[in-house]
Amino acid sequence: MTKILQKISIVILMAISLQSCYYDNEEYLYPDLPGGECDTVNVSYSAVVAPIMAASCNSCHSPAAPSGNVTISTYDGLKASVNSGQFWKAINHESGASPMPQGGNKLAACELKKIKAWIDAGAPQN
Ligand code: HEC
């Protein structure tokens, strides 16, 4: 009888210790939070950079009416802006360029890290 009780308590203890392995840390669930994980390795123009531009920039920087004569919605336009150095200064709110997106919040820290990684890789059309 005591052996059965021992076995039951071992099973219960195992169940409890397994449950504590469940990882619901908010930094893990919301990687954009400061200090959270930010994947700067798998960054491509098509999967990462272009969607951020579409969400925050293209409304004012498309070929039809490019604000400040800057086109961001096409790869060639973006690449030209990157090469001029104004693009990074603008989105990182550095002196020497107007802070972008104009009238909006600075891009999330993780988005900036990803874009920086892409620029450092030579801003490829991948
Ligand atoms: C609400 C409209 C609007 C949005 C959204 C916007 N821009 Fe602009 N942008 C402008 C205007 C207007 C100018 C030209 C006047 C100026 O420089 O302030 C400009 C200028 C620029 C310049 C040239 C800055 C310089 O000083 O040489 C760059 C680069 C740029 N934008 C990039 C971006 C990027 C990247 C985004 C998205 C993160 C973005 N913009 C979002 C309106 C916008």
Side-chain angles (χ1 to χ4, degrees):
M1 193 59 192
T2 39
K3 280 202 170 166
I4 292 175
L5 278 176
Q6 264 182 348
K7 280 184 184 165
I8 291 175
S9 54
I10 286 173
V11 168
I12 291 173
L13 278 175
M14 277 171 62
I16 291 173
S17 61
L18 277 179
Q19 257 188 348
S20 66
C21 288
Y22 178 62
Y23 194 51
D24 63 354
N25 184 304
E26 73 169 3
E27 285 181 1
Y28 186 77
L29 292 174
Y30 305 108
D32 279 347
L33 291 180
E37 291 180 27
C38 180
D39 180 6
T40 54
V41 176
N42 301 305
V43 177
S44 69
Y45 171 72
S46 55
V48 175
V49 179
I52 296 174
M53 298 302 110
S56 304
C57 316
N58 294 359
S59 57
C60 297
H61 291 288
S62 290
S67 299
N69 217 17
V70 174
T71 299
I72 295 293
S73 65
T74 67
Y75 173 78
D76 288 344
L78 175 58
K79 178 86 174 176
S81 183
V82 168
N83 288 346
S84 77
Q86 292 307 94
F87 174 77
W88 177 251
K89 283 187 195 167
I91 60 172
N92 202 36
H93 295 190
E94 291 177 13
S95 63
S98 305
M100 294 290 143
Q102 195 184 62
N105 291 327
K106 194 176 176 181
L107 296 177
C110 181
E111 290 178 325
L112 289 172
K113 279 188 198 167
K114 289 178 175 182
I115 293 170
K116 183 74 167 61
W118 175 75
I119 293 173
D120 288 348
Q125 188 172 18
N126 53 1

